[in-house]
Amino acid sequence: MSTYAILFDLDGTLTDPKPGITRCIQFALSELGYKPPDANELDWCIGPPIKDSFSLLLKTSDDTVLEQAISLYRSRFTTIGLFENFLYPQIPETLDAICFAGYTIFVATSKPHIYATRIIEHFRLSSLFDHVYGSELDGTRSAKSDLINHILATERLSPSHAVMVGDRKHDMIGAKHNHVTAIGVTYGYGTEEELKTHGADLIAHSPDDIPKLLVHDYVRSQN
């Protein structure tokens, strides 16, 4: 079996979570008395930690205000928004191929792991992942750099034998901070320019590109 481990971002990489995330943000802003932006103006909120997004939306760093916004967001997300998403095409087949090749696979998301686990179970993907890693509800390990470091330490993985797959700059920055190979995917919410600017080693334009790039990266590392 390969000693390589593949870390997958969730939002924008495995699933398209736009309906749930944007509706929950709109709900929270409305409850706070703000006129929320249209859903298409909130695409940039998909990927980063939700506290960071609310800080920019509300133009504040006041923890009391931000925690209130997050609480309202979660009140809708835990009951409705959690499942207002869908798998990208070819994701189950892609994960099957990677598993068959002998890689170990983990979810590495800034989303709280209790939500991420439910989403993975909802799409019946649990058997394909060795573990689902995410942040804590208090924001611990919501930064991708911290999360990847935690996964490497917990699973006793060598950075040279790990690959991070994600669609936003936060995934690339987190991977590079931990000396991990980064594959950026362009079918999510980040542009190829964003991904390359922040350190993507390889680019996947569709899910079925990922297994091919993993083989390429493995062969390259042996030379």
Side-chain angles (χ1 to χ4, degrees):
M1 176 175 280
S2 168
T3 56
Y4 262 64
I6 317 303
L7 282 53
F8 275 93
D9 175 46
L10 178 58
D11 294 342
T13 302
L14 297 174
T15 70
D16 186 341
K18 180 174 178 175
I21 289 177
T22 56
R23 290 169 189 168
C24 290
I25 290 173
Q26 290 171 327
F27 170 77
L29 293 176
S30 293
E31 290 295 302
L32 289 172
Y34 294 86
K35 185 179 187 303
D38 291 337
N40 288 335
E41 296 174 30
L42 293 171
D43 284 0
W44 61 271
C45 297
I46 300 171
I50 192 64
K51 186 174 183 178
D52 295 353
S53 297
F54 274 124
S55 181
L56 291 168
L57 285 164
L58 297 171
K59 298 181 174 59
T60 183
S61 56
D62 185 323
D63 278 338
T64 302
V65 174
L66 294 176
E67 289 305 321
Q68 187 180 6
I70 292 170
S71 178
L72 288 165
Y73 173 94
R74 287 177 176 165
S75 71
R76 186 185 186 280
F77 188 81
T78 55
T79 54
I80 303 170
L82 193 68
F83 304 123
E84 291 177 320
N85 61 8
F86 54 88
L87 285 178
Y88 284 111
Q90 305 170 331
I91 286 297
E93 295 84 353
T94 295
L95 295 174
D96 275 333
I98 294 171
C99 279
F100 184 76
Y103 295 98
T104 55
I105 314 179
F106 303 97
V107 172
T109 175
S110 293
K111 187 185 296 296
H113 64 83
I114 62 168
Y115 301 149
T117 299
R118 289 177 62 193
I119 292 168
I120 292 298
E121 290 172 350
H122 173 71
F123 289 114
R124 299 180 181 179
L125 298 177
S126 300
S127 64
L128 298 173
F129 288 98
D130 288 78
H131 196 75
V132 176
Y133 285 96
S135 65
E136 301 298 331
L137 288 172
D138 66 1
T140 302
R141 291 189 292 276
S142 60
K144 228 18 140 6
S145 297
D146 295 340
L147 179 67
I148 294 173
N149 179 266
H150 173 70
I151 296 171
L152 294 175
T154 302
E155 299 291 339
R156 299 182 179 178
L157 302 173
S158 166
S160 63
H161 285 71
V163 176
M164 179 70 214
V165 182
D167 71 313
R168 298 302 307 273
K169 66 181 182 181
H170 311 83
D171 303 303
M172 306 300 103
I173 292 168
K176 296 297 96 180
H177 183 81
N178 288 282
H179 311 290
V180 167
T181 296
I183 295 179
V185 304
T186 60
Y187 57 82
Y189 286 89
T191 63
E192 184 168 352
E193 179 183 9
E194 173 187 329
L195 295 164
K196 286 184 173 178
T197 297
H198 293 282
D201 297 293
L202 301 161
I203 296 291
H205 297 293
S206 65
D208 63 356
D209 282 344
I210 298 170
K212 302 169 195 171
L213 293 176
L214 292 175
V215 171
H216 169 80
D217 183 63
Y218 178 77
V219 170
R220 186 179 63 179
S221 72
Q222 303 306 301
N223 295 326

